[in-house]
Amino acid sequence: MASGDGLLVRVRPFLGRLTRRQALALCDGAERFGTGLIEVTNRANLQLRGVPEQHWSELLAHLAEHGLVDSDPDTERRRNMLVTPDWQAGDDTHQLATRLMARLGDLPELPGKVGFAIDAGTAPLLAGVSADFRVERSADGGLLVRADGHARGTAVTSVEEAVEGLVRLAHWFVDSGGWEAGRMRRHQALLPSWAPRQALPAACRDRPVLGQHPRGLLIGIPFGRVTAPALREVVQGALVGDVRVTPWRRLWIEGGMPDCTGGLPTDEEDPRLVVDACPGAPWCNQASVETRRLAEALASQVPGSVHVSGCRKGCARRQPAALCLTGRDGRFDLIVEGRADGVPEVTGLSEAEVLDYLKHHFPAGA
Ligand code: SF4
């Protein structure tokens, strides 16, 4: 898609995972055809920015050569699927995701944001991540299929039945007018009788913390952006180097070693992690301000969450932040305990004025 700095190219890793070879190819592609920046989205996708139109087909060929894209755009669009990142080969999540990928052609045309979550580990891990239809572990240890907006789902007895349930729900959504609602959560139609709300999901698991795990090193991606050289350093320095992409702007480097972090956070206390910032100018053509410089200046200066947004759309963070700065006409509006489109406490600040204001007015400012 077009963006302020050229084309933005989104890669949807298959099963949320890149092999070491694919990860390195992605880094090469980002540098050869784009700005060298790789974004990690809250849908566990990866994005390359700043690709000139004349390089688009070369980049696509490069991604196809390394198995990073589907064979056709229609399949790519339908493969809107989140997979719990700690799946193991052959487990329920792996089987479900593989079977659903094989059934993509059976899905109806769905609104662009409608997607699936395959979350069948020992307990749900993706409950806080946006998805319209889910397979989850139920409280009694079985599997259930659940439509977003409903606390309970339909118990199923096999992975085949679960995938069939997802496909049927997708058809029911479209046939019952789901395109008008756009997302399942907003869809008012009563669920069909063959999808009874009988089974409760198990209590959610805690999100894995940054650092070394038996599986590998979990690293944070501040502001959801990493440079190709930094990612390459981590991948090349790891024992295995395959990469699991999570929806929390964190990457799991399989077999990662603690001394190969590429300068990326491996500690939950890293102040860069409390700041959300969208690409801003010049990357997005709706932004009138640069966001990253201010975001970096604010990290560690403000207690609680911080959101720096290039405009009122607030792409980087939907929920309120303790402090939100929204760009408008080249300056910032300051919102306390709110979202990017909230009512500002102060308007029209330059970057320097923001920092000065916080020093004097924000309770624990610098
Ligand atoms: S919040 Fe605005 S400026 Fe930032 S990425 Fe979204 S549309 Fe662009």
Side-chain angles (χ1 to χ4, degrees), residues 278-281 284-288 291 307 309-316 340:
C278 76
C284 175
N285 52 19
Q286 296 194 47
S288 63
T291 51
H307 180 191
S309 185
C311 76
R312 285 171 61 82
K313 206 166 163 195
C315 297

Side-chain angles (χ1 to χ4, degrees), residues 71-312:
S71 54
D72 67 274
D74 188 47
T75 306
E76 184 92 23
R77 198 172 51 249
R78 288 164 182 258
R79 194 167 53 80
N80 192 357
M81 185 196 308
L82 278 166
V83 182
T84 194
D86 58 351
W87 60 267
Q88 307 265 17
D91 70 7
D92 283 348
T93 298
H94 183 221
Q95 288 191 50
L96 285 158
T98 307
R99 283 173 191 272
L100 183 57
M101 282 201 292
R103 298 279 311 267
L104 292 178
D106 295 336
L107 293 173
E109 188 74 25
L110 291 163
K113 288 196 186 318
V114 170
F116 302 86
I118 308 298
D119 195 9
T122 53
L125 193 54
L126 302 177
V129 182
S130 169
D132 297 81
F133 306 106
R134 300 169 186 271
V135 181
E136 293 171 319
R137 186 65 56 193
S138 59
D140 66 3
L143 292 174
L144 62 84
V145 176
R146 186 164 69 87
D148 197 32
H150 297 273
R152 291 171 182 260
T154 304
V156 291
T157 56
S158 67
V159 292
E160 293 85 357
E161 196 186 337
V163 172
E164 182 62 27
L166 291 175
V167 174
R168 286 185 81 186
L169 273 177
H171 279 278
W172 162 82
F173 176 78
V174 169
D175 295 344
S176 58
W179 268 88
E180 264 179 58
R183 297 299 302 264
M184 181 60 219
R185 177 166 284 278
R186 297 195 291 263
H187 192 34
Q188 299 294 318
L190 288 179
L191 284 170
S193 57
W194 49 261
R197 286 169 289 163
Q198 64 202 163
L200 263 182
C204 295
R205 286 186 282 159
D206 289 335
R207 204 168 79 172
V209 296
L210 294 183
Q212 191 71 32
H213 294 254
R215 175 179 302 281
L217 181 68
L218 187 62
I219 54 172
I221 306 296
F223 321 123
R225 257 164 284 159
V226 60
T227 64
L231 182 56
R232 186 183 290 118
E233 183 186 331
V234 182
V235 169
Q236 286 180 330
L239 286 178
V240 179
D242 294 346
V243 177
R244 307 257 179 150
V245 186
T246 80
W248 312 296
R249 293 182 170 142
R250 291 155 183 235
L251 297 176
W252 219 325
I253 313 295
E254 294 187 27
M257 298 294 287
D259 55 344
C260 300
T261 65
L264 296 164
T266 57
D267 181 342
E268 293 290 341
E269 299 303 312
D270 192 302
R272 291 172 289 176
L273 295 173
V274 298
V275 182
D276 288 300
C278 76
W283 317 103
C284 175
N285 52 19
Q286 296 194 47
S288 63
V289 291
E290 214 183 292
T291 51
R292 174 134 190 187
R293 197 172 48 218
L294 183 58
E296 282 177 352
L298 291 175
S300 80
Q301 294 210 17
V302 177
S305 50
V306 180
H307 180 191
V308 184
S309 185
C311 76
R312 285 171 61 82

